Structures are given as structure tokens and as C-alpha cells.
Amino acid sequence: MTKIMDSDLVRRAIIRIAHEILEKNKGIAQLCIIGIRTRGVILAARIAKAIKEIEGQAVPVGILDINLYRDDLTLVGSQPIIRETLIDFDLNEQKVVLVDDVLFTGRTIRAALDAIMDFGRPSSIQLAALVDRGHRELPIRADYVGKNIPTALKQNVKVVLSESDNEEDAVYLEENK
Amino acid sequence: MSEWTKRHLLDVEELSKEEIEMVLDTARSFKEVSSRDVKKVPALRGKTVVMLFFEPSTRTRTSFELAAKRLSADTINIAVNTSSLSKGETILDTARNVEAMNVDAIVVRHATPGVPQIFAHNLKSSIINAGDGCRSHPTQALLDMFTIKEKLGRLEGLKVGIVGDILHSRVARSNLMGLTKMGAEVTVCGPSTLIPVEIEKLGAKVSYDVDKVIKQSDVMILLRIQKERQKDHFLPSIREYAIEFGVTTERLKQGKKELLIMHPGPMNRGVEISSDVADGEQSLILEQVTNGVAVRMAVLYLVLGAK
């Protein structure tokens, strides 16, 4: 198991992503952030906090559970546990920034896009990921990336965040047997 | 508990405490889906759910149908009067014919206890019991538990009174089994002719005094008194039942302010429940109906995903 990012790198990546989001969207007008369960939710909250520190104003933050929209629901073992989706603001004509921890095949993001479309018609949807590990199976790319990590298919990227894992922030690359 | 393994939902007894909790947690997420503008998720796309009802039902059938539709499953309703049962076919043959059209789940209601079990043993589809005789009505118990837990945050340690025709009520039996499993204390109450003998062995306390039950309870589930019961000599008269056991605003004054009133419907206003109680602030009757869809979505999602 190799450590690829330590807590400082994770912290700086989040602050940089917050700046990039503000730069691209020219401020926080119509901006909202939606985290994909589980670790995307934590990252979304951290990005929103950074944006508030920079701009002095809060942006709405939502939580998305994409399991009901998965394309492999009938293939995986038993049904994944469904947790609540919490988006208590209107998505119509908003600029939505989706946040996930690792961007891999793109299938999670495909599901998230479908889910968001059921909530309304945003003017744009952008994607932020802490790690982009390549191997896309769908035509999807991230607008904001913490770190690009070239990986082999059999490897595994493990993101550790203090809020969910009770451990210092870090990103590891694991060899799968 | 992270994996659901049951392909059928036949009664509450077969569910473990963890499995009941899993249904309730899953239902909480599905409740949000019903509050959206677009009330549909693609989770059961391509699945077919058949409602095979050998007994009339509006609420339960509609609730199951909406639940299936909100998960993008296709639904078919088969009501007894319009089917070939009246031409002499056995119920199992009817079900086998339905299944031969490649359906994935059969939601069944029948007046005879055990019919869902017979289906589960003889068919390949997932079977969901929507009420079999006076034996079991698991989704009603699950939605009642969901409603109580949503309001009070817990089930353990609560005192629940079930009042009415306990003898003929599958709702009472399923709620008794489910609630006691989750750690609530259940008291059943009604005229002695309508309390089954030895119900204490299922974990219930018995009371014949509705006022006493009102004073001690956190939640009360009132059951419909069917007019036929008077003909069958279980009751001297419906009016007498209303006087002895009907829950009124006056009677509720003896209980806690937060006492919650539930009823699985359909209700007889002025018999087991007065109109002002049914429409009052303590009543959860319509919330039960709302929650019913979410709980049935959770059940369909879980049993159709079990491997």
C-alpha cells in the first residue's frame, strides 16, 4: 500500500478546487454543490466551507445517493443499502458541482447525472473529484481534479477522510490480489 | 446487517430485529423519493409485479401499485371477480398461469391463512403477503412501526395499545409480533369475545378497560369493528361497543398529551374512533397511508434484490 496524498496535499487540493470553482463560475451566483455518498458528501462539505471562507457567503449543499440509479443493480449480489438523498433546494437553472472522491469508470457519475435530472434542469453540471484514476468506460471527464493518479485496473485507490474513517486524511494505492 | 437474503415477505415472525430495522431504514430513504416532483427512480426497471387479490382492497393494492410504479416496475392487477377462479380453477393454477408470463413478484391477499406460504413453496417468483385471512399483514405492521419510529424516534420501551376486534385482526397479530420483537410493550384491548384465548403467549398483555389503556399508552392502534360481528354474536350491538371502547376526545383527556392515535383503515367514524379524534392533532392516520408507500417500496426493492 503506497501513500499518494497526505493530509496536507488533500487540504491544499480542496482549497485549490474551491478557487477553481469560483473562478470558472465567476463567484457563487446560482452555484450549488452536491456530494455523492459517502465520501463525496464529506468532500462537498469541505469545498463548501472553503468557498465560504473565500467569498464570505455560503452555497447550498446537497447529498445524493445514486444506488437506485446504478446500471448494475440487477447484476450485483443483493441490493445495496439505500440512504437518504437530501437536496432541499431547487436545481432548475442552477450551476451544480457534483463531488465524488474517486473518478474511475464514470458509471457512478452517469447514475448521478440521471438522478439530478429527476430533480430539475440545472443550467450546467460540473464534476469535481479528489482523485482521477483513469480507465473511463463512459465519455465523462472531471472539471476539477485534486490529483491525477495513473493506475492499473487491478489496483485499488483508497481514500481516507477523518470524518468517516477516524484517521488522518490520506489517499493510498493498493495492490489487489 | 448489510445484506438482505429473503426472497419473500410472508409474515413479520420470520424477520429478525435487524431485518425489520433494515426495512425501516430503507423506507426512510424511499419516503424522500415520493416527495420529489418526479416521483420515480429506475431501481426496478424491467421487473414485473403482479397484484393478485382474492379479497377486495383499495388502500393496500393502490399502495403496492404506487410503490412498484415509483420504482419503475411494471404492474398488473388481478381481482378475483374478473378472473377464471369463478370458472373453477384452483388458486395455485391461477398463480402458476400468472407466473408463466415471467413475472418477478406476486403480491397476494387471500381470506385463507397460509396461501402466501403455499405460493412461496410452489412458485419461483418473490411472494409478498398483503394479508392472509386473520393471520398476518406484514407490510401494515412494518408501516405502523415506521410511523411510530419516525414520530418518537424509537420503538423500544414504548407502550402500545391495540384496541378492537383482536380475534379477527391480522393487523393486530402482525403488529403484536413486530412491536414486541422491537422491544415495545403491547396491550391488546377489546370485549372478551374478541380477544383470542392465550394471546398472552404471543407476548401481549390483555385489558378489557380502554380507559386504562389510554392512561398508560404512548401509541394506540384502533381497529375497525366490522358490522358483521354483531350478526355473528360477538357483540350485543355496535352502539354498545362504541360506548364501551370507542375512543373520543373526552376519553383521550385522561392520557398523555403526546399519545398518538393510529388506525389501519378503513375506519368507522363514531364506532371505534370519533370523528374529532380521527381528524385531530394526535391522529397519524393519513401519515400511515403516506408511509405505507415508502415501506412497500422498501419491501419490493429488498425482496426483488435478494439472491
Side-chain angles (χ1 to χ4, degrees):
Chain A
M1 198 162 76
T2 334
K3 198 180 211 180
I4 295 166
M5 294 176 85
D6 61 13
S7 62
D8 280 333
L9 274 178
V10 171
R11 179 175 52 82
R12 289 187 200 114
I14 287 168
I15 292 171
R16 175 173 52 78
I17 288 173
H19 278 286
E20 285 176 1
I21 290 171
L22 290 169
E23 190 181 2
K24 179 165 175 172
N25 294 288
K26 302 184 179 68
I28 59 164
Q30 274 89 52
L31 191 68
C32 61
I33 299 179
I34 291 176
I36 299 173
R37 280 193 191 270
T38 322
R39 293 197 175 71
V41 175
I42 298 166
L43 293 168
R46 289 198 196 174
I47 291 171
K49 188 166 167 257
I51 287 177
K52 193 178 179 204
E53 276 163 17
I54 299 161
E55 293 289 304
Q57 260 182 296
V59 289
V61 183
I63 295 174
L64 191 62
D65 184 294
I66 56 99
N67 276 315
L68 292 172
Y69 291 84
R70 280 168 65 152
D71 57 8
D72 57 355
L73 255 185
T74 49
L75 304 175
V76 294
S78 56
Q79 305 284 56
I81 300 201
I82 303 301
R83 299 199 179 80
E84 230 170 335
T85 290
L86 281 173
I87 300 176
D88 54 3
F89 44 87
D90 189 5
L91 292 185
N92 286 311
E93 300 309 315
Q94 300 296 301
K95 298 181 219 169
V96 175
V97 179
L98 262 179
V99 183
D100 202 1
D101 53 352
V102 180
L103 180 56
F104 184 25
T105 60
R107 288 183 190 266
T108 301
I109 306 304
R110 198 281 311 158
L113 293 174
D114 273 1
I116 285 180
M117 294 306 181
D118 279 353
F119 278 90
R121 187 183 182 281
S123 60
S124 70
I125 302 177
Q126 302 157 29
L127 174 60
L130 182 62
V131 174
D132 182 347
R133 60 166 294 187
H135 303 291
R136 217 76 78 237
E137 293 169 3
L138 296 171
I140 280 168
R141 63 163 177 76
D143 299 88
Y144 316 101
V145 178
K147 192 173 173 66
N148 284 294
I149 303 176
T151 58
L153 261 178
K154 60 180 196 307
Q155 286 173 316
N156 189 25
V157 174
K158 187 182 169 197
V159 174
V160 172
L161 296 172
S162 56
E163 291 94 326
S164 59
D165 305 289
N166 274 323
E167 249 183 82
E168 197 168 271
D169 296 351
V171 178
Y172 298 99
L173 192 58
E174 294 175 324
E175 299 297 329
N176 258 340
K177 274 144 246 161
Chain B
M1 181 86 211
S2 57
E3 279 225 333
W4 183 269
T5 52
K6 294 215 156 57
R7 285 186 57 244
H8 309 292
L9 178 70
L10 303 177
D11 49 43
V12 183
E13 291 92 307
E14 61 171 10
L15 298 180
S16 68
K17 199 174 167 189
E18 289 73 26
E19 284 170 326
I20 292 175
E21 261 158 18
M22 194 166 167
V23 174
L24 304 188
D25 286 347
T26 308
R28 212 161 67 94
S29 310
F30 281 124
K31 196 174 176 184
E32 178 267 325
V33 173
S34 292
S35 68
R36 297 181 191 175
D37 276 348
V38 179
K39 299 172 189 54
K40 208 178 186 77
V41 290
L44 295 183
R45 203 174 45 154
K47 303 278 187 192
T48 307
V49 178
V50 176
M51 263 63 71
L52 190 52
F53 276 60
F54 299 96
E55 244 188 13
S57 158
T58 313
R59 191 181 336 253
T60 307
R61 191 181 50 71
T62 311
S63 181
F64 266 111
E65 190 169 359
L66 271 178
K69 288 198 152 109
R70 286 185 183 164
L71 293 170
S72 304
D74 295 308
T75 57
I76 299 286
N77 275 302
I78 300 174
V80 65
N81 303 341
T82 54
S83 84
S84 36
L85 278 163
S86 46
K87 300 173 193 162
E89 194 176 58
T90 69
I91 50 166
L92 196 51
D93 280 333
T94 304
R96 282 197 178 115
N97 274 279
V98 169
E99 187 176 67
M101 298 178 216
N102 291 326
V103 308
D104 300 284
I106 298 177
V107 178
V108 58
R109 167 171 287 189
H110 199 286
T112 308
V115 166
Q117 275 79 359
I118 294 171
F119 281 12
H121 284 151
N122 290 286
L123 300 172
K124 289 184 283 295
S125 317
S126 283
I127 306 296
I128 296 167
N129 183 0
D132 59 331
C134 47
R135 201 184 72 86
S136 187
H137 193 353
T139 56
Q140 180 70 43
L142 288 165
L143 80 88
D144 288 343
M145 289 190 271
F146 178 88
T147 306
I148 297 170
K149 199 176 172 196
E150 190 182 51
K151 277 285 152 191
L152 301 176
R154 68 194 164 102
L155 293 168
E156 194 158 0
L158 291 178
K159 286 188 161 49
V160 182
I162 306 179
V163 185
D165 180 359
I166 310 295
L167 183 63
H168 300 94
S169 172
R170 54 190 171 215
V171 176
R173 217 168 307 263
S174 283
N175 261 312
L176 170 61
M177 305 307 285
L179 284 164
T180 48
K181 192 169 272 178
M182 300 310 283
E185 187 189 306
V186 178
T187 304
V188 296
C189 173
S192 56
T193 48
L194 293 174
I195 304 273
V197 282
E198 301 203 331
I199 193 157
E200 296 91 341
K201 289 197 173 155
L202 295 179
K205 297 192 171 180
V206 177
S207 172
Y208 304 103
D209 178 358
V210 74
D211 295 300
K212 204 182 115 207
V213 177
I214 288 174
K215 279 179 208 153
Q216 68 180 31
S217 295
D218 299 297
V219 180
M220 285 177 71
I221 299 173
L222 311 180
L223 303 172
R224 184 166 72 106
I225 290 296
Q226 289 173 319
K227 303 249 152 67
E228 304 90 88
R229 299 296 169 235
Q230 188 184 337
K231 268 188 281 164
D232 301 340
H233 310 296
F234 286 103
L235 292 171
S237 76
I238 296 295
R239 200 175 80 90
E240 188 178 307
Y241 180 88
I243 293 166
E244 289 294 324
F245 293 97
V247 172
T248 57
T249 314
E250 202 52 47
R251 276 209 156 114
L252 277 188
K253 282 181 187 151
Q254 311 167 83
K256 296 180 190 163
K257 260 206 194 80
E258 317 79 66
L259 170 61
L260 299 173
I261 301 295
M262 297 170 55
H263 193 305
M267 58 183 166
N268 288 324
R269 287 170 185 265
V271 182
E272 68 269 9
I273 187 168
S274 71
S275 256
D276 40 358
V277 172
D279 304 327
E281 277 180 6
Q282 288 162 276
S283 161
L284 294 179
I285 295 169
L286 290 175
E287 279 180 61
Q288 286 172 271
V289 180
T290 306
N291 293 337
V293 177
V295 167
R296 288 174 178 121
M297 284 170 85
V299 168
L300 285 167
Y301 171 78
L302 291 169
V303 301
L304 280 171
K307 287 274 153 71

